[in-house]
Structures are given as C-alpha cells and as structure tokens.
Amino acid sequence: MHDDSRIVADRLDRALTQRVLPAVYSASVPLTVEAWHVPGEPVPVGEALAAEYAPFEIGTRWGAPWSTTWFRLDGVVPGAWAGKRVEVVLDLGFAGGWPGNQAEALVYDAAGSPLKGIEPRNQYVPVANPAAGGERVRLLVEAAANPDILGGGFVPTPLGDKETAGDEPLYRLIRADVAMLDEPVWHLGLDLQVLGELMAELSPAEPRRHEILRAVERALDALDLHDVSGTAKTARAELADVLARPAHASAHTLSSVGHAHIDSAWLWPIRETVRKTSRTFSNVTALAREYPELVFACSQAQQYAWVKERYPEVYSRIVAAVKAGQWRPVGGMWVEADGNLPGGEAMARQLIHGKRFFLEEFDVDCAEVWLPDSFGYTAAFPQLAKLAGARWFLTQKLSWNQTNKLPHHTFWWEGIDGSRIFTHFPPVDTYNAEFSGAEVAHAVRNYAEKGRGTRSLVPFGHGDGGGGPTREMLERARRLRDLEGSAKVVIEPPAEFFRAAEAEYPDAPVWSGELYLELHRATYTTQARTKAGNRRSEHLLREAELWAATATVHFGASYPCERLDRLWKTVLLHQFHDILPGSSIAWVHREAEETYARVHAELTEIIERAVAVLAGPSTVFNAGPKPRAEVAMAPAGTPGGQPLSTGEVAVFAEVPALGSAVIGETSSPDPVVVSGRSLDNGLVRVELDENGLLSVRDLVTGRDVFAPGSAGNLLQLHDDLPNQWDAWDLDRHYRNRCRDLTSVEAITVTENGPLAGEIRVERAFGASRIVQRIRVCAGSPQIDVVTELDWHESEKILKAAFPLDVHAARTASEIQFGHVERPTHTNTGWDAARFEVYAHRWIHVAEPGYGVAVLTDSTYGHDAGRATRADGGTTTTLRLSLVRAPHSPDPHADQGAHRFTYSLLPNASVADAVAAGYALNLPLRVASGTAPPAPPLVAVEETAVVVEAVKLADDLSGDIIVRLYESLGGRSTVTLRTGFPLATAEPADLLERPLRTPPVTHDDNVVRLTLRPFQIVTLRLRRS
C-alpha cells in the first residue's frame, strides 16, 4: 500500500483549524456593551454595580497596565435558539498562548454574584436558562489589564510596576456575543484532536496507527466542509469504532487530578493573585457541576483565606465541593514556599498554619506535601513532613535540570535525620497538563519505574492563574479513559494515586539528601533586600515569641497570640517561591520591602514590651540557644565600656541561653589593640594591606587562616548574563570574566578599643560604592565585615572570597534543623552541577584538627572549591554571593542601598559555627527596668542540642511549646530544665498534637531526652 499518512494528517490539520473549530459556535449575536474604567486600584463588585457606565464599542482599546475596566453586557437570546446550548463568548483582546499572564476577567450576574472566570483558553459563560428562547442576558465583567511581562522575552520592561508602566491601553475588546454552541461540531473537534494526536505518537509499524488514520479519513470524507454542522454527526459515527477500542491490559495508568498552579505573586502583584484565585475557583466550581467526575487538587491555605474574606460566595461553593469530594485541599502549607531558603522554624510554620487551616475549615488532614514548582528542596523536608503528619511528597520541578536527569519518578526520599517519605515526580513533566497526545505519550515513555510501577500522576489545568481545568480537558480525559494505544486516564484524588503507587512499589529506591535543582541557582541571591527582610523577620519572630512567653509565665503579661499569628502568616506568604527567591516583578519586591519594614516595626514593639516587663537594672537579653560571653551595645550610662556613638556604649556581658543577666557582673577579657592597620585581641590578629584586604593570624593555634600569597575578603565582580531566566539563573560561564576589586579610596581606624576595634575600608567601582567596617571584639576570634553597599551595576554579580589554608574535602552548610555536606571537588557531573549552592547562617570547612566558618546575617548563595598550590598545600576557597543585577522581570533588581554583615570565625568546629550563626542573627538586647531576676523558661545542658522555638501553645491553654533539635549529626542525651513548676512533658507533632511515642521522663522540673542525629523534637510542657 502506498503511504499517504502525511497527506491525511495534513488534511486533518487544515479541516480542524479552518472548518471544524471555527464552526463550534453556529450562530452569534453581539451584546450591547457599556464600560466603567476604575480610577485606581480594584474595587468590590458592590461599587461597580453602583457606578456610571458609558457606551463602549467593540474594537475599542481598553486597559492601561494593571488597571481594571468593568464591562456591562446586555442582550436577548434569539427565540429560534430555544432548547440549544447558549453561551456568552468574550474576547478581551487576548494575545499569544499563555493563559496566565495577560488580560483576565471575572464575570458576575446582574445581582453581583460571581459566575466564572474568563481567560484566553476559556472564553465562555453559560447562559442560565435558554430553554424557551428570548431570555434576557445581563452580565457584569471585571476585566483586569494585566500586562504580558515576558511577552518580549527576558528583556527589561517598565510594565512590572504600576509606578512605571504608563497609561497606554494594552488591549482591544474583540468580541462580546451571545452564541449558540453546536455540540455535535464541538464533540467532533474533540474526537478528531484526540485521535489525530494519538495517531501522531504511534509508530508507523503499529497497526493501530493505520486503523485510526483510515477512520479519520472516512470521517473527513463524510464531513461536508461547507455544511459542518449538518454533517458532524455522520462524521463522528465513522470514528465511533476506533474510539471504543479498549486500552491494552498493560497500559500505563495516568492518575489525573485537576489543578491550577496559581503563583501567589510573580509576574503580577499579590493583590492580583487575590483576584486570580477568585476567577479560577469560580471556574472550577462551575465546571464541577457539569462534570461530576472532576476532582480538583488545590494547595496554599493563604489563597483559600483570601477567597473566604473577599469572595464569600465562591468560598461557600468550595466548601460544598470539598464535601462532595470534587475538591481536594492538598499540600498542607500556607503557601507553596521556596524549598531552600525559609528557616527551619519558618518551614515548620508553613506546615503548621497550612494544615491547621485545612483541618479547621474542611476537617481535612492533608497527607501530602505539594510543591510542584519550587526551585529545589531541602534535605530537612522528609522529617518536617512526617512530623506534620504527611505521608507523601510531590514535585515536578527537577525535570528542569540542565545537566543530570534524576533516575527515579517514584522513590523514598531520605532526609538528613534518616526520615523517609514516599515521593513522586510526574513523568508528564508539567503541572499544567492538557491531555494532549504528546503529553500522554511522553509520560509513558519517560516513566522511569517501568516493570516495577504501573502508574504516575498528571496534574491537569491551565496554571499561573490561567483558570485551571477546562471542559475540553475533561472531554479529552473521557475519551482517553480506556483507549487502545494510549495510557489509561483515570481522574482521581491524589491520595488514591499515592496509596496505590505505594502499595505496588513499597520497596521503591531511596534518594538520600537534598533535591538540588540544576537550574535557577541565582534565586539564592537575587533581590537581596527581600532575603534580608525574611531572615530578620524570622529571627524577630523567634525573639517576640520567646520574650512574650517568658513575660506571660513569670509575670502574667498578656501574650499577643493574634498579632503573632498574623505576623507569621505575613512572613510565610512572602516565602512563596517567586517572592523570597527574587524572581518576581518590581512591584512585588517593592511591596515586600515595605511589608518587611512594617513587620520589623511591629515585632520590635512586641519584643520591647515584653523585655520591659522582664528587665531589671541594666539587663542584657540573649534570645540565642547558647550561652554567650561577648560585647553588646547598651544605652549610655550603663556601667563599663567605651562610648561608641552618642547615646551608646559597648559593654561585655555573660548571658545564659534564652535568658538574661545584669551587666557589670563579669570581668572583661583582654582588650583589643589597634595599631596602624591591625587589630589584635589576643585570640586573632587581623592585618589589612594597602588594598584593604585581610590577613588573619590565629594566635591560639599559631597558624595563618588564609593561604600563602592570598588575602581574605577579596571582592570579585563577574559579568552575569544567563542564557535565559535572568533573575533565576546563574550560568557557569559567569566565571569566565572576573574583576578583583582592589582599589581603595580610604582606610580609616573608626574604633580604637578596648572592647572593640574597627577599621573602615571605602571602595568605589563602576557606578557603585562599598564601605566595609572590619571589626574585632574583645574575647572573640570572630572577625565581622559590616557592609554598606550602594549598588548600581548592570548584569553583574558581586562575590566575597575567602581563600582558606585548609585541606577540605567537603563543606558543611547550615540548612533547616541541621546541615548538609557537599564536596569541594567536581568528580562527577552531579558534583560539577553544584557550582552555586545555598546555606543559611553558616558554612564550615575543615581538615582534621582545624576548621573555619563563614557566617552571614542575610545572604544565602555561595560557592566553594579547592586548588593545590605550588608548595603542595591546598587552598579551599569560600565565596559568598552578595548581590546581582538582572534586568528581567525587574529591570532594577538589587539596585540601591544594602546593609549586611558576614563574619569569619577561625579555629571553629561545627558546634562553634552553629552557636556563632545564631549569635550573629540574634544580637544581644540591653534594657533597664525594675523586674526581679527571672530564670529562662527552659535551659538545655547539651552542646549538640539547639532550642529553635519557645512559645505558648496555639490552643491558648497556657502550655509552653519547646522545639529543639540535634544540630551536629550525632546522638545526644539531653537534660532540659524548666524555669517554672512542671506538671507534665509530652512529645508532640508540629501541630502540637500528642505523639504516639513513649512519654519523656521528667522529675523536679527536669526533662530527659535522647535524640538521634538531626532529630527534631517538639515538647508540650504543662505548668503545675
């Protein structure tokens, strides 16, 4: 037989695109349109109902960037359409194929009740009751003129902020009709699309491909292209047999769930996400009424909370859909947070607040962590997930890896403590599936577990705020449920997939450690002020809870539970995976900085109120988990110390962990001696050369910290233009061009002992300026680099290098509730791909007998490598990534003022790094008052064990919640003493619920525990 398959396929393509699909609506009548352009930010529907509207012609431009136009539509269904399926069809001027990043609308009825969202691939609204014909159609359309930020590629655009976007209209209203849906034609189009796409994926050697080809050919022969409506049923009849053929018994099963990945901010501001949720959730609840098989999985408790507050009618429909089983809350997190950068307690609170919301609102205890789009995942996740009551983990993002393909799609993921969680990566490689033939075939071909597992998960629906699943997707799923040549598509809840997958593959392989994304490495650095705001907010929240709880327990002060709950949720929202990573538009990051400033002010007020209750005369407070003996800043008039500035003095204090002490009761250590460009405190000697670079002599061990011939704190400026994804990516080729910043404007002694010495180094480069104060304090080997940067470079990255005279095979980097080790070599492609990584408060390198830590108060990104010198020694170089300057999506990212500190700690163990990292991020507080001395609420007598949180229980019972963990990776037996009469001590999960574990032993206000490596323990302590 002659091969005419290409000819038939081309015939099908043209018939579909030029005849069948355009005939889906067999008749239409224009509606009368009126418009009201909102003169500012979006308004509630009640205000729009009362507004004055003006006539608006089809074809007229509308919508300045980020503006809102309300359209009022009016018309009558023709009487001849009685009994037909009638819809209003709107085209707001959609451009391109991306449904989630352009004009959108929410349609209301004449009374102001939300009906359905309108997006580029979902343009219809059903008319309620056209059975008799002649029905009046009155609708209100809230149209959002959201600009297409990436429409021109990764190039600078002013459209990312309403303050710079201008007022030129973006869109033109193309269509506002009442139309009659020709259902036979619509179904014919779907039949032909599904079969044509399946045929294209089958091998030419497969008989099934040719059976479909001939059936399609017969259908096209039966179709009169000049009377598509009249012949559609006849054409469909020719396809009935091939559509009825059942799938093979061994066909892969695609467990499919409706989905709408809505970024809580990204190429739009938070306020627009609130509206995106209303549109998508209206779509889904409307679709659920028409398609009873629909199951929709939706994460992010924050988005539910927005809808509950702003769109109560939509929320009531969600509640009903949850009860009906068609809507499944998943994930159990407040937002789909970044998977690397949130601190340990913040990651716990993501799960706590998310799971508690779903439990209280829907009586649903989410069993899975649902993070399809975050940029890699901390090795602390498995333990945190299990402690929150989760059993499963889902993501898709690692399919984006540039270099190495993860060898599994279904596996057990093992965290740093040994906890394992059953994990799945959908091999369809998208969380926005549409059931195209290419997607379905790719999922089967790509699935790595063939021969062991038989099923994978497919989240389907338009994402990024694009409206979620559509009726076309559900119709495709119906046709693919049991179709020869295809995988079997089964719509079911995620939990049913996970249960079945775990049951058939209980001995799935194990992946141990972090899930590192070999892409988007710059998200550890971009938008440094956003990251600094997050880090400081996390530590202020710790302080606020600790001191407020201490004041409540010891002095009966009121505990600000509602304020703390609100502030935590604000910080958790801003940990969303396009806010904290720095990959959003300018508007988002401008507002984030403003929000962090308000959070800082309110938390400071809470802390100061609590400290005022607790303070005696000249009292210093230590919110850190380890005792401290160090220099602190105190108000003028406090005993001891050398004045540093008007109204402040430096004092030396010894303070217990999580507690307070009176200043002046301890003797000061050896003084700091400042001589020329050197600082010496008897523990370290720091010398600055003529370029302001550092050499450090460890006076305790008698060794130089930096490698021979090198200097520390070398600032290095690299060109930084990734191949794409400007704010996200740091490509390896950035290293090919580097400029060492050695020119110096001034070196000045700014503090001359005895408790602190400080030398100021000023540099200018390009259009930027940096001032760094190299600071050494009495009694500590730590060298602080207090930095003020005025940054105005373009497409550059600034790094600070520390070439250490240490032979280190690996680094240890702090993550949530522990640390991970990463090689300093590049033996394998997996090692080489980790050329930029993240850490939280510290990075540590060591050879046997000697280690060095680098500490940070706000930065995360860094790199590490080693080289052999001519003298045979090894130099291990740590480089902190300080700021970047990408142009997309925010053309001014990182521009302007930055303030941060990083520090060098010689002769440090990992335990030293843990303590110093907390200390740098939790400066001692000094206050004066009249309170009698009060002990810390809890005290822990074990070096390896760290108290992460002390607070009152969320149920307002007055119980004290203490969360602690083993920080060094070994076993620890710990004694915890309470500063109050203890009645009971009970292990709890993250949600403060009792665990089914043996009770902890306690007597005489002492609790005894044994912790495994990196174990997290939450204790609920009840007072007598």
Side-chain angles (χ1 to χ4, degrees):
M1 176 183 286
H2 298 296
D3 183 5
D4 63 349
S5 58
R6 182 70 266 164
I7 295 172
V8 177
D10 289 346
R11 179 187 177 191
L12 169 61
D13 182 65
R14 184 169 188 183
L16 257 177
T17 56
Q18 295 186 11
R19 292 294 190 272
V20 177
L21 297 182
V24 164
Y25 289 105
S26 57
S28 61
V29 176
L31 294 165
T32 300
V33 182
E34 298 175 298
W36 173 55
H37 304 288
V38 179
E41 282 293 279
V43 300
V45 65
E47 190 171 335
L49 286 167
E52 293 189 8
Y53 288 73
F56 193 90
E57 296 294 327
I58 297 296
T60 304
R61 298 179 71 194
W62 69 278
W66 304 115
S67 70
T68 300
T69 296
W70 287 82
F71 294 110
R72 192 160 63 188
L73 310 180
D74 197 350
V76 176
V77 177
W81 296 4
K84 301 294 184 180
R85 189 163 177 171
V86 180
E87 300 173 344
V88 168
V89 182
L90 298 173
D91 186 341
L92 302 175
F94 302 122
W98 191 353
N101 189 37
Q102 55 172 297
E104 303 172 57
L106 179 61
V107 181
Y108 300 78
D109 66 18
S113 293
L115 297 176
K116 186 178 172 296
I118 292 293
E119 290 89 16
R121 301 191 198 175
N122 196 339
Q123 300 181 18
Y124 72 96
V125 179
V127 172
N129 183 25
E135 181 191 3
R136 188 72 176 268
V137 176
R138 291 176 175 170
L139 298 174
L140 202 59
V141 180
E142 181 188 17
N146 300 332
D148 184 356
I149 301 297
L150 297 182
F154 297 98
V155 296
T157 174
L159 293 174
D161 196 328
K162 65 177 180 179
E163 294 185 354
T164 60
D167 57 7
E168 187 70 19
L170 294 174
Y171 299 104
R172 192 183 304 275
L173 184 64
I174 302 299
R175 184 180 188 185
D177 293 346
V178 59
M180 184 170 62
L181 181 70
D182 193 323
E183 294 191 72
V185 174
W186 181 61
H187 281 290
L188 173 63
L190 288 160
D191 292 346
L192 290 171
Q193 286 174 318
V194 167
L195 289 170
E197 291 170 4
L198 173 58
M199 177 176 64
E201 296 299 325
L202 294 171
S203 165
E206 289 286 335
R208 173 65 167 162
R209 173 180 173 135
H210 300 279
E211 291 169 2
I212 295 172
L213 180 78
R214 295 309 160 202
V216 167
E217 186 177 39
R218 292 193 299 272
L220 294 176
D221 289 342
L223 184 68
D224 185 342
L225 298 181
H226 298 283
D227 183 16
V228 173
S229 179
T231 54
K233 289 183 179 178
T234 303
R236 287 197 74 199
E238 297 294 340
L239 303 173
D241 179 62
V242 288
L243 282 168
R245 301 278 183 90
H248 296 303
S250 61
H252 185 74
T253 297
L254 297 179
S255 295
S256 305
V257 59
H259 191 235
H261 177 71
I262 304 177
D263 288 303
S264 289
W266 180 30
L267 304 178
W268 47 84
I270 288 173
R271 69 91 151 139
E272 194 56 34
T273 310
V274 177
R275 299 203 294 178
K276 281 177 175 285
T277 58
S278 70
R279 299 172 196 130
T280 296
F281 295 176
S282 296
N283 280 352
V284 173
T285 52
L287 193 63
R289 291 192 292 267
E290 188 176 357
Y291 289 87
E293 72 267 31
L294 173 62
V295 176
F296 179 70
C298 186
S299 65
Q300 306 197 76
Q302 171 68 87
Q303 295 182 0
Y304 288 75
W306 282 331
V307 174
K308 182 180 181 181
E309 177 186 358
R310 309 281 185 89
Y311 301 90
E313 289 185 65
V314 177
Y315 194 73
S316 66
R317 297 173 202 163
I318 293 173
V319 172
V322 171
K323 290 179 179 178
Q326 289 188 280
W327 186 298
R328 299 298 174 112
V330 294
M333 295 179 72
W334 190 248
V335 295
E336 289 184 8
D338 180 83
N340 296 315
L341 305 182
E345 188 61 22
M347 198 69 87
R349 301 297 175 98
Q350 287 284 354
L351 291 158
I352 292 165
H353 285 287
K355 291 204 70 168
R356 184 171 290 135
F357 182 93
F358 292 136
L359 279 164
E360 292 176 352
E361 294 291 321
F362 306 113
D363 195 26
V364 171
D365 192 352
C366 297
E368 68 292 298
V369 176
W370 187 276
L371 285 175
D373 192 33
S374 300
F375 310 143
Y377 304 94
T378 171
F381 242 134
Q383 183 179 191
L384 286 168
K386 292 192 74 173
L387 287 173
R391 296 174 54 188
W392 309 304
F393 185 92
L394 178 134
T395 184
Q396 178 270 323
K397 200 65 174 186
L398 270 74
S399 69
W400 289 38
N401 271 7
Q402 283 181 317
T403 307
N404 299 285
K405 180 180 174 63
L406 215 74
H408 318 299
H409 284 109
T410 301
F411 57 97
W412 290 96
W413 179 20
E414 182 180 88
I416 54 173
D417 73 311
S419 295
R420 293 180 178 180
I421 187 168
F422 193 76
T423 299
H424 182 67
F425 292 172
V428 70
D429 284 349
T430 180
Y431 44 82
N432 298 321
E434 302 176 34
F435 294 127
S436 71
E439 288 173 345
V440 171
H442 175 75
V444 176
R445 286 193 297 263
N446 190 40
Y447 184 55
E449 320 306 321
K450 296 182 185 74
R452 303 299 297 273
T454 64
R455 63 187 63 236
S456 63
L457 191 139
V458 175
F460 67 93
H462 295 306
D464 300 324
T470 65
R471 61 186 180 185
E472 287 77 16
M473 294 175 194
L474 288 162
E475 289 290 343
R476 283 173 170 267
R478 286 178 172 179
R479 289 159 174 79
L480 294 167
R481 180 174 179 83
D482 192 15
L483 183 61
E484 184 186 354
S486 172
K488 292 181 284 190
V489 171
V490 178
I491 295 176
E492 62 182 359
E496 292 189 16
F497 159 75
F498 274 109
R499 287 192 192 97
E502 188 176 355
E504 75 174 5
Y505 202 13
D507 58 342
V510 176
W511 181 273
S512 182
E514 65 185 334
L515 292 172
Y516 177 84
L517 177 64
E518 296 176 358
L519 194 73
H520 293 0
R521 301 168 180 90
T523 58
Y524 312 142
T525 303
T526 307
Q527 300 285 7
R529 284 185 296 270
T530 297
K531 291 173 170 61
N534 173 74
R535 177 82 71 86
R536 288 158 190 165
S537 296
E538 289 177 345
H539 289 83
L540 286 169
L541 282 160
R542 172 195 174 96
E543 282 196 85
E545 289 183 335
L546 170 65
W547 301 132
T550 305
T552 299
V553 171
H554 286 319
F555 297 104
S558 175
Y559 188 76
C561 53
E562 292 182 0
R563 294 178 73 187
L564 289 169
D565 180 80
R566 172 174 48 80
L567 289 164
W568 260 117
K569 288 173 179 174
T570 299
V571 173
L572 297 179
L573 165 60
H574 286 80
Q575 291 176 343
F576 178 75
H577 65 252
D578 278 306
I579 304 178
L580 182 53
S583 48
S584 288
I585 56 174
W587 188 347
V588 172
H589 292 288
R590 171 174 56 80
E591 286 193 334
E593 291 178 36
E594 295 167 358
T595 298
Y596 284 130
R598 292 192 297 271
V599 168
H600 186 283
E602 189 169 356
L603 285 171
T604 299
E605 179 204 347
I606 292 171
I607 293 166
E608 289 177 347
R609 284 190 178 188
V611 166
V613 172
L614 296 167
S618 302
T619 305
V620 62
F621 293 85
N622 172 20
K626 300 298 177 182
R628 293 159 72 169
E630 64 184 66
V631 174
M633 299 296 296
T638 302
Q642 172 74 26
L644 296 182
S645 60
T646 303
E648 291 183 328
V649 296
V651 297
F652 190 83
E654 292 182 4
V655 201
L658 311 171
S660 61
V662 175
I663 295 172
E665 295 182 350
T666 57
S667 59
S668 297
D670 292 341
V672 178
V673 177
V674 182
S675 174
R677 293 196 300 263
S678 72
L679 306 168
D680 189 323
N681 67 357
L683 300 174
V684 292
R685 181 184 301 119
V686 180
E687 295 184 355
L688 279 69
D689 66 15
E690 65 276 9
N691 296 318
L693 304 179
L694 307 184
S695 63
V696 176
R697 180 76 171 176
D698 181 344
L699 300 177
V700 175
T701 62
R703 64 184 284 170
D704 291 324
V705 175
F706 297 123
S710 64
N713 194 38
L714 173 62
L715 297 175
Q716 296 183 303
L717 190 67
H718 293 267
D719 287 353
D720 178 18
L721 182 64
N723 293 343
Q724 57 178 347
W725 299 106
D726 291 28
W728 296 258
D729 283 0
L730 183 68
D731 287 346
R732 185 188 296 274
H733 62 249
Y734 88 90
R735 296 185 173 188
N736 297 343
R737 290 177 58 86
C738 178
R739 174 187 169 196
D740 292 344
L741 302 180
T742 56
S743 297
V744 63
E745 287 189 340
I747 303 177
T748 311
V749 174
T750 50
E751 192 173 339
N752 195 4
L755 290 183
E758 186 177 273
I759 299 176
R760 175 186 172 107
V761 180
E762 302 176 47
R763 306 181 191 276
F765 56 94
S768 302
R769 182 175 182 81
I770 189 168
V771 176
Q772 294 191 303
R773 292 181 289 128
I774 314 304
R775 183 174 174 83
V776 172
C777 291
S780 172
Q782 182 171 312
I783 301 111
D784 295 330
V785 183
V786 183
T787 303
E788 295 183 10
L789 170 64
D790 188 18
W791 174 253
H792 297 285
E793 302 309 297
S794 173
E795 295 173 340
K796 298 285 194 293
I797 184 171
L798 180 65
K799 286 186 169 261
F802 295 90
L804 304 170
D805 191 10
V806 176
H807 183 88
R810 62 191 63 84
T811 65
S813 298
E814 188 190 37
I815 63 169
Q816 302 84 350
F817 297 104
H819 61 268
V820 293
E821 294 185 341
R822 303 179 179 112
T824 55
H825 59 70
T826 55
N827 282 359
T828 70
W830 296 90
D831 301 329
R834 284 181 168 88
F835 60 82
E836 182 81 0
V837 291
Y838 77 94
H840 283 208
R841 288 168 291 223
W842 55 266
I843 311 140
H844 183 265
V845 296
E847 60 188 34
Y850 196 81
V852 179
V854 174
L855 319 169
T856 79
D857 76 346
S858 59
T859 60
Y860 296 85
H862 67 278
D863 66 75
R866 67 181 187 184
T868 301
R869 305 188 298 268
D871 66 2
T874 299
T875 301
T876 300
T877 301
L878 285 181
R879 299 198 310 158
L880 300 179
S881 300
L882 304 180
V883 289
R884 298 183 68 237
H887 289 173
S888 174
D890 176 2
H892 305 294
D894 277 328
Q895 300 298 300
H898 300 265
R899 293 173 179 83
F900 49 85
T901 297
Y902 52 87
S903 306
L904 184 74
L905 186 62
N907 194 19
S909 65
V910 169
D912 295 329
V914 171
Y918 274 102
L920 180 63
N921 285 270
L922 291 164
L924 297 175
R925 290 184 180 271
V926 181
S928 292
T930 60
L937 286 186
V938 294
V940 171
E941 300 175 3
E942 166 55 46
T943 300
V945 175
V946 171
V947 174
E948 179 68 6
V950 179
K951 59 186 285 291
L952 294 193
D954 290 340
D955 62 6
L956 307 182
S957 63
D959 293 350
I960 291 91
I961 301 297
V962 178
R963 191 154 18 254
L964 46 81
Y965 68 101
E966 197 287 321
S967 65
L968 304 184
R971 295 183 182 273
S972 289
T973 299
V974 59
T975 298
L976 181 147
R977 300 182 184 276
T978 64
F980 53 86
L982 178 64
T984 61
E986 189 174 34
D989 70 2
L990 292 185
L991 276 71
E992 303 171 9
R993 303 173 295 195
L995 284 174
R996 294 177 180 174
T997 58
V1000 297
T1001 60
H1002 67 92
D1003 55 76
D1004 195 24
N1005 303 336
V1006 174
V1007 179
R1008 294 176 181 84
L1009 299 165
T1010 298
L1011 274 65
R1012 66 176 182 269
F1014 296 125
Q1015 183 180 2
I1016 304 166
V1017 171
T1018 301
L1019 291 176
R1020 188 181 188 109
L1021 308 178
R1022 183 157 297 144
R1023 292 178 277 166
S1024 294

